Amino acid sequence: MIFFDGIVFNSRKDNRIISKCVYSVLGINMEGQKEILGTWISENESASFYASICSDLKNRGVSDIFIACHDNLTGLCNAINSIFPKTKNQLCIVHQIRNSCKFVPYKDRKEVCADLKKIYGAVNLDDAEYAKEEFREKWDRKHPNILKSWDKNWAELTAFF
């Protein structure tokens, strides 16, 4: 399993503020040990730069990726699968929850998050789908955009099942 992450930050250079993106890749090998596979810096976060990272990883000896966990950056799944075609893509649950709760009022947030946890914390795919439908019945009228994203990305949100 490999975790891809990119963090955009601002810094000063010659009295100007410039943006940079730091990419980090963490792998878990077949023995279950974590390994930092590298960090890279570029001008911005992009799927094409992730593709170059994947090429670099392959050239350095990574032969296959079973599951790649990452945010939902447009084109990232294709970039990874172009180098490692058998890879299953798992979208980051933390990013998904953060995006789900972006427009939920504070008074509902704790309860919404508890109900979302029933989905991603389920023991198997059937239980997750059942919890998702319970969430839909309870919250879809009040917060219809939450499950639109979950439905659209369901295959990539449930790869770990």
Side-chain angles (χ1 to χ4, degrees), residues 80-145:
I80 294 168
N81 288 120
S82 69
I83 308 298
F84 299 104
K86 295 180 184 177
T87 301
K88 294 178 194 264
N89 288 282
Q90 170 67 48
L91 297 184
C92 176
I93 295 296
V94 173
H95 281 91
Q96 184 68 27
I97 292 166
R98 189 180 302 142
N99 288 334
S100 295
C101 293
K102 196 182 318 185
F103 302 109
V104 174
Y106 183 77
K107 67 182 179 77
D108 291 343
R109 195 165 294 167
K110 190 172 185 177
E111 191 176 357
V112 165
C113 287
D115 289 342
L116 286 173
K117 188 173 185 175
K118 293 175 187 174
I119 300 171
Y120 68 83
V123 295
N124 58 44
L125 184 57
D126 289 337
D127 288 353
E129 289 173 343
Y130 183 80
K132 184 173 71 153
E133 292 313 310
E134 283 187 326
F135 185 96
R136 188 181 314 280
E137 288 177 19
K138 183 175 180 179
W139 293 107
D140 211 36
R141 267 196 168 142
K142 194 169 186 180
H143 304 293
N145 290 326

Side-chain angles (χ1 to χ4, degrees), residues 3 11 16 19 21 24 45 50-51 64 83 147 151-152:
F3 298 88
S11 64
R16 292 183 342 181
S19 292
C21 182
S24 61
E45 187 174 23
Y50 274 114
D64 195 13
I83 308 298
L147 284 185
D151 290 337
K152 178 182 167 197

Side-chain angles (χ1 to χ4, degrees), residues 1-4 25-29 32-38:
M1 178 177 255
I2 290 187
F3 298 88
F4 292 88
V25 178
L26 170 83
I28 301 177
N29 66 21
Q33 296 173 321
K34 295 177 187 173
E35 300 179 30
I36 298 293
L37 301 179

